[in-house]
Amino acid sequence: TRWPPAVAMDRGTAALVCPSAMDIQQLRCFVAVAEELHFGRAADRLHLTASPLSRRIRELERELGEELFVRGYHQVRLTRSGRDLLEPAADVVRRFDALRAQRPDRTARPARDIGAAPVLTPSVVDLVLGTFTRLYPDIELPITLERSAVLMDMLCARKIDLAIVHLPVTDPGLRGLELARYRYAVATRSDDELASRRRLRLADLTDREMLMPSSKLQPLAMKNLRDFLVRAGIRNLNELPHADSIHLAARVIRTRSITLVAADPDNPSTRNFAGPDFALVPLDEPDLHFAAGVAWRADDESADPILARVIETLRTGRGVTPLVI
């Protein structure tokens, strides 16, 4: 088997060049399963649950174009390709960990990697970052912008330390804290018959096509929203293949469809429906809302004192300016 440069390498550190789709966490997951020959034990060893671990292995197999394991009902064993990969992959992981150990001590200037969903209202992100910097003025906060579902996976893979996301959190290895709860508004064309209404109920919308962004944004939150709409009698739901609010706005203008947006003018998605062409009518459904907050790995709350203090401050609201909900 001819492996790509990340695996078929000489012993020099300079040869550790990974192809773009492969990352160190995939190799770390592979090595753990290959050494344990058991997905459950490997997941425990990596402080992951079985689902993200299995997904990482599948991603690596797709990247390499090879099956690495024979998966039986009660046992796992390496394929020939898996046996060929194990030693060089373990060497890459050892070298990477050695490089991390040689980094300057971060205690003098602490840093935590933060993920944030770009469509969240800025006040939620500002609250979290502001709490960090108020408690730890010298802290570095590199930020990764990705949709909530991707950030949850990054947390499980230990690529980030805290995620500012749409809730709820479903992975048993993660914990979540709600910081804000937002109501919805109905976005229509300004010349739509609904635009003149002061408020709307879902019962007023049962004969209209309602556009929804892709459920990939946050699968469980979007499923909960869809289920709520169906129970309320909304039958003509059209889920688009992406979460682009600009495209949603264009569809509303061109097709006279409607959609739901956050009833918050500062929300990045809602701002795309500003201007004379659109109307935003508050939706009077007290039980329908979406939640935003933070997520983190459960074991970090006891192992990371900086993170634990920030979470506790957010949880108790000590010295934190409340969000307008």
Side-chain angles (χ1 to χ4, degrees), residues 277-292:
D277 294 331
F278 296 98
L280 294 177
V281 184
L283 185 64
D284 186 13
E285 295 287 347
D287 294 330
L288 180 61
H289 60 267
F290 75 91

Side-chain angles (χ1 to χ4, degrees), residues 25-224:
Q25 293 300 332
Q26 290 174 337
L27 294 180
R28 192 184 301 280
C29 290
F30 164 73
V31 170
V33 176
E35 292 178 350
E36 299 288 346
L37 292 179
H38 191 280
F39 275 83
R41 290 194 297 269
D44 290 341
R45 169 172 155 181
L46 296 172
H47 304 291
L48 295 175
T49 57
S51 179
L53 173 64
S54 180
R55 184 164 59 250
R56 284 281 179 178
I57 297 297
R58 289 295 188 189
E59 290 170 355
L60 180 60
E61 289 177 324
R62 285 195 297 270
E63 168 65 16
L64 297 175
E66 300 278 355
E67 292 287 331
L68 301 175
F69 296 100
V70 177
R71 297 161 173 84
Y73 184 71
H74 290 295
Q75 65 177 2
V76 176
R77 58 187 176 85
L78 287 161
T79 64
R80 178 177 178 180
S81 296
R83 292 194 298 271
D84 290 343
L85 177 61
L86 178 55
E87 182 179 350
D91 188 55
V92 170
V93 172
R94 285 192 298 268
R95 288 168 180 259
F96 179 82
D97 289 343
L99 288 172
R100 292 182 65 186
Q102 295 170 13
R103 291 184 306 174
D105 184 8
R106 288 171 55 163
T107 58
R109 184 170 176 80
R112 294 298 182 273
D113 295 305
I114 308 297
V119 297
L120 286 177
T121 296
S123 58
V124 181
V125 181
D126 292 344
L127 173 65
V128 177
L129 299 184
T131 302
F132 261 106
T133 55
R134 182 171 59 82
L135 296 175
Y136 300 98
D138 294 329
I139 199 164
E140 295 180 4
L141 297 171
I143 298 179
T144 298
L145 296 177
E146 265 292 359
R147 67 180 189 268
S148 295
V150 173
L151 293 175
M152 299 291 193
D153 286 343
M154 292 180 70
L155 270 178
C156 291
R158 299 187 174 274
K159 290 186 172 183
I160 56 176
D161 300 304
L162 188 77
I164 311 168
V165 291
H166 299 92
L167 299 176
V169 171
T170 57
D171 192 295
L174 301 180
R175 297 291 180 268
L177 173 65
E178 182 178 307
L179 297 176
R181 186 176 291 184
Y182 296 94
R183 298 285 180 84
Y184 286 98
V186 181
T188 73
R189 282 173 48 148
S190 57
D191 60 353
D192 193 290
E193 60 182 12
L194 299 175
S196 61
R197 303 280 291 274
R198 292 183 60 188
R199 291 185 177 275
L200 289 166
R201 298 296 304 269
L202 289 175
D204 302 321
L205 311 175
T206 54
D207 62 341
R208 300 294 297 269
E209 179 188 43
M210 183 175 291
L211 304 176
M212 293 186 65
S214 170
S215 58
K216 294 178 181 178
L217 181 70
Q218 215 292 22
L220 182 57
M222 297 305 295
K223 178 183 182 301
N224 290 342

